[in-house]
């Protein structure tokens, strides 16, 4: 495989990374996120129906009323002591409604379902808090900072401090750019999307460490060789591996993005973008960024 | 070779253990055929659905910040669910007609009674006064029931159910001298240091707003150590009551002015830990009233799950084909390692009764990634070693030896991140961290032991680069 010149063109690569970070930040701060009901809370409508109504019927009726309901989560709920022919459905949607809107929706929904031949009524229409917001809030910055500190400490111990800084810079890059893409393409940030972000962090870190490991090995093997050449060679030596690993991971998540259900799509999207971004950062950001400060130990 | 035989035995033993964990008979035999393999893997709410309970939060009128009370209730319930291993349960606040509700959904629990048990006491904790005790059930003894009426107190059982205590919420009948739902800032077991005492004691600290009331309570109930055991002292014991069960009853030996108290009783470490946990998580700041109990369907809907599973499988098969095309026999090794590690992960999940949810599946994805990656790293390394002119056997040995360090560092960094996530995270994040940690550790094992075994076994199938392709080390 032809060698790519990572080191002497590093300003170009780093500029690309910087461009995407700025672009992402612009989107994040101007357009914001499409946050799922788990985060912002919203409304829950409980519909009680007799007979054989299924989720699909209710979803169709809701979407006909307002596009707000296209991403609604429709699930079946059964309460203790209710007759067997009664089904309840819970509809959660990530926005709240005014009193008049609520009344209108209730009326329209009941009449639409009646037209379809279902005997259904809206039992309640509540505001509901998010489930994940509290969890994420409890995770807080402290956990994130401790994770970063632990990673930094480990890399300092096993490699050196400068590499730790590079790895963390690459991680921050990956998370910001992936979030930027979520904002750009308006994908919903839901619990699976958060799982994708967490997966991405592990993935990117893994990738970065493999590059570092090769640099470390070559530093021992060719003591005294000038560092830019050594780093360039190291990156190129692991390039086939990096490309193959990224490609195999990408295949799985991309197929998932194409064919999986709507709720899973944000997860697959986050990982598809994340794999590309994470691969880029471990080749073009993690070492080139801190190269100047790398020294033989 | 001897090491090879050891590896083979380990690989087979681990595999059989994983299968055993998955196939161990369970009480509910809902799956048939091949799906039986998965019956012991507990599925989360988002995949399988679960019990759903709705409580109304009864905030006392006149409370300054009612939404804070609801938040506190949320936190206490979250702690209880996490403590019982149900990190995947979801909890959300709901509001209607100016009232607050909390909806709890617990995966893998089919009947609501056990869900309620899991949630633990929904009642309130208070510090009360013990007036009397009995070793037989007072409800069968009219004399004891009369006594309760006269003393304006109630008979409550002890935690082990062997004792009954006559407890009154209001201390010494002083009006409003009671401490209901105290806010306990910290509580921890501490080894006993005083002479003649053994085991552990529990120290705890009340929030400043409750410290003053507690001081007045201790002033009323204080009993000098010399008087302990006398009839008068027996009516001045302090009880910690949670959900109408006496968690602890004992003497107050000195006035506690600052809310910092300790409970002594020659506890074992386990008892002390339990009592501290009850103190920490037990105080629900408001009463909960059950509104409804029932069952909820998978959050994602079964249609979505099916289509996603199919998509995931297609992706996986493509990866397996890619590996064989690109790496030949070592691709086959990687594919076997992949399947092996997935079974191993599910086996560990079945054995530890961890709950598999969507974020957990993200963790499995990650595991598949690291397993394939490990094999790619090893295969590339062996190729490199072959190019330097080594024999296949020597290249395999060198390849695995060098890859060990790479994989060790890469996996350990990931596990460190996973451990921090597990320790600080709740719910979703914890579930993800569990599969991540198990999976990454498994992939390291699989890469180093199983892949090594298979590569050695198939070493004569490894393609050696032609002499022209070889390069000499500079």
């Amino acid at each position: 495989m032809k060698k790519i010149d990572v080191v002497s063109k590093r300003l170009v690569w780093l500029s690309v990374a910087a461009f995407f970070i700025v672009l992402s930040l612009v989107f994040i701060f101007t357009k914001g996120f499409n946050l799922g009901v788990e985060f912002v809370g919203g409304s829950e409508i409980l519909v009680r129906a007799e007979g054989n109504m299924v989720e699909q019927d209710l979803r169709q009726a809701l979407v006909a009323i307002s596009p707000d309901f296209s991403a609604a989560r429709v699930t079946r709920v059964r309460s203790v002591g209710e007759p067997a022919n009664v089904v309840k459905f819970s509809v959660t949607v990530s926005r709240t409604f005014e009193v008049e809107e609520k009344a209108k929706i209730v009326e329209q929904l009941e009449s639409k379902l009646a037209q379809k031949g279902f005997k259904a009524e809206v039992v309640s229409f509540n505001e509901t808090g998010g489930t994940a917001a509290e969890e994420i809030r409890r995770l807080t910055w402290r956990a994130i900072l401790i994770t970063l500190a632990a990673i930094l400490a480990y890399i300092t111990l096993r490699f050196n401090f400068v590499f730790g800084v590079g790895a963390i810079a690459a991680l921050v890059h990956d998370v910001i750019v992936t979030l930027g893409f979520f904002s750009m393409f308006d994908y919903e940030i839901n619990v699976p999307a958060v799982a994708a972000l967490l997966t991405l962090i592990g993935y990117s870190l893994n990738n970065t460490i493999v590059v570092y490991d090769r640099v470390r090995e070559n530093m021992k093997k060719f003591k005294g060789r000038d560092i830019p050449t050594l780093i360039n060679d190291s990156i190129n030596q692991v390039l086939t591996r990096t490309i193959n690993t990224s490609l195999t991971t990408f295949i799985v998540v991309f197929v998932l993005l194409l064919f999986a259900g709507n709720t899973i799509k944000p997860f697959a999207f986050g990982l598809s973008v994340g794999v590309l971004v994470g691969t880029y950062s471990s080749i073009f950001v993690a070492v080139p960024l801190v190269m100047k400060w790398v020294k033989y130990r | 070779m001897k090491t090879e035989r050891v590896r083979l035995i380990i690989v087979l033993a681990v595999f059989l253990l994983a299968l055993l964990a998955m196939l161990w008979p369970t009480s509910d035999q809902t799956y048939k055929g091949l799906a039986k393999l998965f019956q012991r893997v507990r599925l989360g709410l988002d995949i399988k659905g679960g019990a759903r309970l709705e409580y109304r939060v009864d905030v006392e009128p006149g409370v300054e910040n009612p939404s804070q009370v609801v938040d506190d209730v949320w936190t206490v319930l979250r702690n209880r669910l996490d403590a019982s291993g149900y990190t995947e349960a979801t909890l959300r606040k709901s509001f209607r007609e100016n009232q607050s509700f909390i909806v709890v959904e617990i995966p893998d629990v089919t009947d609501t009674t056990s869900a309620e048990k899991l949630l633990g006491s929904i009642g309130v904790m208070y510090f009360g006064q013990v007036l009397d005790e009995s070793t037989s059930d007072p409800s069968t003894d009219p004399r004891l029931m009369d006594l309760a009426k006269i003393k304006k107190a109630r008979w409550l059982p002890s935690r082990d159910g062997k004792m009954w205590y006559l407890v009154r919420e209001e201390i010494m009948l002083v009006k409003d001298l009671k401490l209901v739902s105290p806010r306990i800032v910290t509580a921890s077991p501490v080894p006993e240091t005083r002479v003649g005492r053994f085991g552990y004691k529990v120290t705890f600290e009340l929030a400043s707003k409750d410290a003053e009331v507690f001081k007045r309570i201790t002033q009323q109930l204080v009993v000098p150590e010399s008087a302990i055991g006398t009839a008068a002292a027996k009516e001045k014991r302090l009880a910690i009551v949670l959900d109408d069960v006496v968690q602890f009853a004992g003497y107050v030996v000195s006035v506690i002015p600052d809310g910092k108290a300790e409970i002594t009783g020659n506890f074992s470490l386990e008892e002390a830990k339990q009592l501290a946990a009850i103190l920490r998580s037990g105080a629900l700041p408001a009463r909960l009233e059950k509104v409804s109990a029932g069952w909820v369907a998978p959050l994602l809907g079964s249609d979505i799950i099916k289509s996603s599973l199919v998509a995931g499988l297609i992706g996986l098969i493509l990866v397996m084909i890619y590996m064989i095309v690109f790496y030949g026999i070592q691709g086959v090794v990687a594919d076997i390692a992949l399947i092996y590690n997935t079974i191993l992960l599910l086996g560990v999940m079945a054995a530890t009764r961890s709950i598999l949810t969507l974020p957990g599946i993200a963790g499995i994805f990650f595991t598949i990634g690291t397993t394939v990656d490990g094999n790619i790293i090893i295969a590339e390394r062996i190729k490199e070693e072959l190019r330097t002119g080594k024999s296949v056997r020597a290249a395999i040995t060198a390849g695995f030896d060098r890859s060990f360090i790479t994989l060790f560092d890469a996996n350990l960094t990931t596990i460190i991140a996973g451990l921090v996530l597990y320790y600080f995270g709740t719910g979703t994040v914890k579930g993800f961290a569990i599969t991540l940690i198990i999976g990454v550790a498994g992939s390291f094992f699989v890469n180093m032991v199983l892949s090594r075994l298979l590569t050695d076994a198939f070493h004569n199938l490894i393609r050696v680069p032609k002499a022209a392709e070889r390069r000499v080390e500079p």
Side-chain angles (χ1 to χ4, degrees):
Chain A
M1 188 181 278
K2 212 174 139 246
K3 266 195 184 181
I4 52 166
D5 189 354
V6 177
V7 167
S8 63
K9 291 206 181 94
R10 68 177 188 281
L11 284 182
V12 178
W13 310 122
L14 291 176
S15 307
V16 172
F19 168 76
F20 275 104
I21 288 181
V22 172
L23 185 74
S24 299
L25 288 176
V26 167
F27 267 95
I28 291 169
F29 285 108
T30 57
K31 190 164 177 245
F33 294 117
N34 171 10
L35 288 170
V37 63
E38 300 100 316
F39 288 96
V40 288
S43 307
E44 183 185 28
I45 308 173
L46 268 182
V47 181
R48 185 179 188 275
E50 280 174 31
N52 52 358
M53 196 168 99
V54 295
E55 286 95 329
Q56 195 66 24
D57 302 317
L58 185 55
R59 202 191 294 271
Q60 277 166 7
L62 284 164
V63 174
I65 295 169
S66 159
D68 281 336
F69 290 106
S70 62
R73 187 164 286 168
V74 182
T75 58
R76 209 181 273 249
V77 183
R78 195 171 299 134
S79 286
V80 171
E82 268 191 284
N85 68 329
V86 169
V87 268
K88 266 193 194 166
F89 294 93
S90 149
V91 179
T92 42
V93 60
S94 60
R95 63 158 290 195
T96 52
F97 300 90
E98 297 295 320
V99 181
E100 305 91 70
E101 280 181 288
K102 278 187 187 173
K104 222 169 124 190
I105 290 169
V106 169
E107 191 192 317
Q108 283 182 311
L109 185 62
E110 284 178 353
S111 75
K112 276 211 160 48
L113 289 171
Q115 275 167 29
K116 284 186 162 191
F118 298 116
K119 201 176 162 197
E121 56 164 344
V122 173
V123 188
S124 71
F125 199 146
N126 313 325
E127 250 106 85
T128 169
T131 51
E134 323 265 345
E135 284 170 11
I136 301 296
R137 205 184 303 152
R138 272 165 52 111
L139 183 64
T140 62
W141 289 102
R142 195 172 55 148
I144 295 168
L145 291 179
I146 291 173
T147 313
L148 292 181
I151 291 168
L152 190 62
Y154 184 75
I155 295 178
T156 306
L157 199 73
R158 297 284 298 166
F159 301 89
N160 63 50
F161 178 73
V162 172
F163 278 179
V165 176
I168 286 168
L171 278 190
V172 173
H173 161 268
D174 300 340
V175 171
I176 291 176
V177 175
T178 309
L179 283 174
F181 271 84
F182 266 97
S183 172
M184 257 177 254
F185 288 88
D186 221 26
Y187 270 95
E188 186 181 293
I189 300 216
N190 54 12
V191 167
V194 172
L197 280 175
L198 294 174
T199 311
L200 148 71
I201 291 173
Y203 180 83
S204 162
L205 207 54
N206 213 59
N207 244 338
T208 305
I209 297 285
V210 172
V211 176
Y212 283 175
D213 177 74
R214 190 52 75 105
V215 176
R216 175 177 63 185
E217 184 190 343
N218 284 339
M219 275 177 142
K220 270 190 206 139
K221 215 161 159 189
F222 309 112
K223 234 177 168 101
R225 189 186 276 188
D226 76 311
I227 285 188
T229 319
L230 192 143
I231 286 177
N232 212 33
D233 286 350
S234 306
I235 291 175
N236 276 286
Q237 280 162 19
V238 292
L239 207 58
T240 323
R241 168 264 159 195
T242 304
I243 290 169
N244 275 333
T245 296
S246 304
L247 210 59
T248 44
T249 317
F250 187 77
I251 292 172
V252 183
V253 289
F254 193 66
V255 172
L256 207 56
L257 178 62
L258 292 180
F259 301 111
N262 270 325
T263 332
I264 316 278
K265 275 201 163 53
F267 170 73
F269 176 78
L271 274 185
S272 299
V273 174
V275 167
L276 298 180
V277 173
T279 307
Y280 186 87
S281 72
S282 44
I283 299 174
F284 298 107
V285 178
V287 197
L289 184 71
V290 293
M291 201 191 74
K292 264 193 189 164
W293 298 282
V294 177
K295 284 191 184 74
Y296 282 99
R297 283 214 275 198
Chain B
M1 245 205 306
K2 212 180 158 205
T3 47
E4 267 182 31
R5 198 183 299 159
V6 173
R7 273 194 205 110
L8 181 67
I9 291 168
I10 293 174
V11 162
L12 289 178
V14 170
F15 187 72
L16 287 177
L17 277 177
L19 276 186
L20 191 70
M22 286 161 82
L23 290 172
W24 198 260
T26 48
S27 44
D28 51 351
Q29 300 281 341
T30 37
Y31 296 107
K32 284 200 173 75
L34 205 61
K36 258 192 176 160
L37 275 177
F38 304 102
Q39 71 185 1
R40 272 182 66 83
V41 178
R42 299 203 295 182
L43 297 175
L45 196 70
D46 46 3
I47 301 176
K48 201 187 175 189
R52 175 192 159 114
L53 297 161
E54 190 171 357
Y55 294 102
R56 194 174 67 81
V57 184
D58 186 9
V59 183
E60 276 181 51
V63 169
E64 237 174 74
N65 191 351
S67 73
Q68 180 61 46
V69 174
V70 181
D71 281 352
D72 289 347
V73 171
W74 187 95
T75 310
V76 171
L77 294 182
R78 180 79 261 175
N79 285 341
R80 285 186 191 167
L81 286 167
D82 283 355
S84 13
Y86 279 83
T87 60
E88 298 299 341
T90 68
L91 270 170
R92 75 174 185 269
K93 296 175 280 185
S94 170
F95 313 95
R96 63 176 179 263
E97 293 142 20
N98 288 326
Q99 288 191 319
S100 301
F101 298 82
I102 286 190
V103 180
V104 188
E105 293 175 350
I106 308 174
D108 198 52
V109 172
T110 37
D111 68 308
T112 53
T113 350
S114 59
E116 277 173 69
K117 255 192 211 138
L118 243 161
L119 212 51
S121 47
I122 56 164
V124 178
M125 173 154 77
Y126 64 89
F127 287 5
Q129 180 183 0
V130 179
L131 300 165
D132 205 345
E133 62 183 43
S134 159
T135 46
S136 62
D137 190 344
S139 61
T140 59
D141 188 339
R143 198 180 49 87
L144 290 176
M145 294 313 285
D146 285 345
L147 186 68
K149 260 183 214 155
I150 298 164
K151 298 268 188 185
K152 292 181 180 164
R154 290 199 299 153
W155 285 103
L156 301 175
S158 66
R159 245 170 55 188
D160 55 13
K162 286 179 186 153
M163 286 282 286
W164 279 262
Y165 294 97
L166 187 59
V167 181
R168 195 166 57 204
E169 217 174 271
E170 215 163 44
I171 309 293
M172 302 297 269
L173 288 174
V174 177
K175 194 178 175 294
D176 282 341
L177 186 56
K178 55 183 178 184
L179 191 48
V180 180
S181 300
R183 253 184 76 81
I184 290 166
V185 192
T186 58
S188 42
V190 189
E192 186 68 76
T193 46
R194 285 180 300 171
V195 184
R197 302 264 187 171
F198 308 98
Y200 287 81
K201 60 187 178 185
V202 178
T203 61
F204 66 94
E205 189 182 344
L206 288 161
S208 51
K209 72 175 172 76
D210 292 325
E212 181 56 33
V213 182
F214 193 58
K215 179 181 156 191
R216 286 174 51 214
I217 289 177
T218 55
Q219 277 169 344
Q220 291 288 337
L221 293 182
V222 68
V223 171
E225 245 174 294
S226 56
I228 286 176
T230 61
K234 276 204 162 166
E235 287 194 11
K236 285 175 108 183
R237 272 178 294 171
L238 182 75
I240 300 173
V241 181
L242 172 66
D243 200 27
D244 288 344
V245 172
V246 176
Q247 304 292 337
F248 173 80
Y251 294 100
V252 177
V253 289
S254 64
V255 176
I256 296 158
D258 53 359
K260 284 183 193 148
E262 57 180 52
I263 302 171
T264 57
N266 297 353
F267 300 115
S268 72
L269 177 60
E270 212 39 55
E271 289 167 337
K273 266 188 185 166
Q274 249 178 15
L275 189 55
I278 286 165
L279 286 171
R280 268 197 315 268
S281 75
L284 261 190
R287 275 180 205 282
L288 292 184
E289 182 198 327
K290 191 169 79 183
V291 181
S292 77
W295 182 83
V296 60
L299 286 178
L300 302 177
S302 54
D303 47 337
I304 290 175
I305 291 163
K306 257 180 215 148
S307 67
S308 307
L309 258 181
V310 171
L313 278 178
I314 293 173
L316 209 60
I317 291 167
L318 285 177
V319 167
M320 292 172 91
I321 295 171
Y322 180 94
M323 287 298 289
I324 295 174
V325 169
F326 207 90
Y327 288 106
I329 185 67
Q330 279 170 288
V332 177
V333 170
D335 292 349
I336 296 172
L338 188 72
I339 295 167
Y340 184 97
N341 195 27
T342 312
I343 291 173
L344 185 58
L345 176 62
L346 292 174
V348 175
M349 293 201 77
T352 56
R353 305 299 276 146
S354 313
I355 297 172
L356 185 64
T357 57
L358 201 66
I361 291 176
I364 295 185
F365 261 101
F366 188 80
T367 302
I368 290 171
T370 46
T371 315
V372 171
D373 181 45
N375 279 290
I376 290 178
I377 287 174
I378 294 163
E380 287 291 334
R381 195 37 104 145
I382 292 174
K383 252 194 221 168
E384 270 180 65
E385 299 293 341
L386 286 171
R387 281 198 210 102
T388 65
K390 285 200 174 98
S391 73
V392 173
R393 280 276 189 195
I396 290 175
T397 309
F400 273 94
D401 286 352
R402 264 308 306 168
S403 304
F404 177 84
I405 300 164
T406 316
L407 293 176
F408 180 82
D409 279 326
N411 292 332
L412 198 60
T413 333
T414 315
I415 288 178
I416 289 173
L419 285 175
V420 180
L421 283 178
Y422 181 78
Y423 192 76
F424 289 98
T426 50
T428 319
V429 176
K430 250 190 173 133
F432 172 76
I434 290 174
T435 40
L436 182 76
I437 295 166
I438 301 173
V440 170
S443 86
F444 189 57
F445 167 79
V446 167
N447 285 150
M448 283 301 134
V449 183
L450 176 74
S451 297
R452 179 74 194 256
L453 182 77
L454 293 173
T455 312
D456 276 335
F458 299 124
H459 73 276
N460 46 3
L461 294 173
I462 290 175
R463 274 173 295 179
V464 182
K466 291 184 199 91
E469 283 172 26
R470 293 189 189 174
R471 68 187 163 143
V472 183
E473 280 295 305

